[in-house]
Amino acid sequence: MSKYIAIGTSLFALMSLVLLVAEWKQTALDQEAQRISYREIEVPGPNLDEAFFLPEYQQVVDDFIDRQVGSPEIRRIITRETRAQELPIGLTLALAWVESGFDPRAVNRNQYSVDRGLFQLNSKSFPELSETQFYDPRINAAHGIAYLKYCLERGENEVAALAMYNAGPYRVSSRGTPLVTLEYVHKIQERREELNRSFQLENSFSCRFAATETTKTAGYGYFRNSHTVLLRTEEVKEGRKASYIV
């Protein structure tokens, strides 16, 4: 009998010790938790012009442009020609939006010319194109974006280039830029800024991470479009430093 009593006493003592250690660990964790500080930060994503040439953003960029253009086919045409000419996608999209609203059948008749199609080309600047070709979005975009590239190289800055695209290189160079053309340029630049700002806002992310005085900790953040990213914080003597893994 005394043997079983001794065994029972030993087991009770062991269990008491385990519970004591567990309580001590919990107390230590509670004290550590009180020393944890949390930070909420907003990390901006790239704008549309920057993301356009980043492979990891390809699908996000395509989805965004589809919503702006309203047609995957028109998006593919404009993005293909923009890449071929190595131009900012925000600029070519803004130009097409102001010129035609992305309508490949758009027509504008004025006292100087009849402008047709996606990038509103006319027979004065493109005498080699037939009526049917003006309304073909692939041909229209290829010539329109290539012409924009030419204007950028000749005008040496975006304002002069867009003015040349609208009023013609000779008129801008010899007689200056008409007021209506300056308004046209402003509208395109404003639209480009809106596109870049909207894309960046959609693809920025907020994160909340924890850091203590003695340990390295991890936190989690989230994109506005619901993608989750892991954040890693690194302790340094002078303070805390956060590095982001996207």
Side-chain angles (χ1 to χ4, degrees):
M1 177 65 72
S2 59
K3 178 180 178 181
Y4 292 113
I5 293 174
I7 293 175
T9 302
S10 298
L11 288 174
F12 178 77
L14 181 60
M15 291 176 62
S16 298
L17 180 60
V18 170
L19 290 172
L20 182 62
V21 170
E23 184 179 353
W24 176 80
K25 285 185 175 180
Q26 186 59 50
T27 301
L29 288 173
D30 290 343
Q31 292 174 348
E32 182 71 10
Q34 292 176 0
R35 292 196 296 270
I36 293 177
S37 61
Y38 293 93
R39 291 189 61 192
E40 188 91 21
I41 61 174
E42 184 83 10
V43 181
N47 64 35
L48 180 61
D49 288 339
E50 295 166 342
F52 183 64
F53 291 102
L54 298 176
E56 62 268 29
Y57 278 90
Q58 188 60 64
Q59 188 59 55
V60 177
V61 167
D62 287 349
D63 291 344
F64 178 83
I65 297 175
D66 279 348
R67 296 198 306 273
Q68 306 302 318
V69 174
S71 165
E73 180 187 3
I74 297 300
R75 180 260 300 167
R76 285 191 291 270
I77 291 170
I78 293 177
T79 55
R80 182 177 61 244
E81 297 302 330
T82 299
R83 284 195 174 90
Q85 298 296 338
E86 298 182 331
L87 294 180
I89 186 63
L91 181 58
T92 56
L93 285 174
L95 176 62
W97 179 76
V98 169
E99 288 287 358
S100 69
F102 303 115
D103 180 5
R105 303 296 300 176
V107 182
N108 177 42
R109 293 178 173 84
N110 56 62
Q111 60 179 322
Y112 301 108
S113 63
V114 179
D115 303 325
R116 308 175 183 89
L118 201 57
F119 285 86
Q120 292 291 278
L121 310 183
N122 59 62
S123 298
K124 292 177 64 177
S125 299
F126 301 92
E128 74 279 10
L129 295 183
S130 68
E131 185 81 7
T132 302
Q133 288 176 318
F134 278 117
Y135 294 112
D136 185 325
R138 292 169 297 179
I139 296 174
N140 193 289
H143 283 78
I145 293 174
Y147 185 59
L148 174 62
K149 178 70 172 288
Y150 162 77
C151 291
L152 284 165
E153 291 173 346
R154 179 167 176 174
E156 298 182 353
N157 65 71
E158 189 175 299
V159 172
L162 291 172
M164 289 178 177
Y165 188 98
N166 178 253
Y170 175 76
R171 184 177 181 183
V172 172
S173 300
S174 61
R175 290 184 285 166
T177 304
L179 178 60
V180 66
T181 297
L182 290 176
E183 293 172 351
Y184 161 91
V185 170
H186 175 72
K187 188 181 296 185
I188 292 174
Q189 291 184 315
E190 190 174 59
R191 181 58 178 169
R192 181 186 179 187
E193 290 176 4
E194 288 175 0
L195 289 169
N196 276 313
R197 185 167 55 248
S198 178
F199 182 88
Q200 188 171 48
L201 182 62
E202 285 187 18
N203 292 280
S204 63
F205 67 90
S206 297
C207 60
R208 187 174 189 237
F209 66 92
T212 70
E213 297 297 331
T214 58
T215 61
K216 294 180 180 180
T217 60
Y220 291 90
Y222 58 90
F223 281 108
R224 292 185 184 275
N225 58 13
S226 301
H227 295 305
T228 301
V229 295
L230 172 66
L231 306 178
R232 182 182 62 213
T233 60
E234 299 174 352
E235 297 293 336
V236 293
K237 290 183 179 180
E238 294 79 9
R240 301 180 183 83
K241 173 184 177 183
S243 59
Y244 309 102
I245 308 171
V246 179

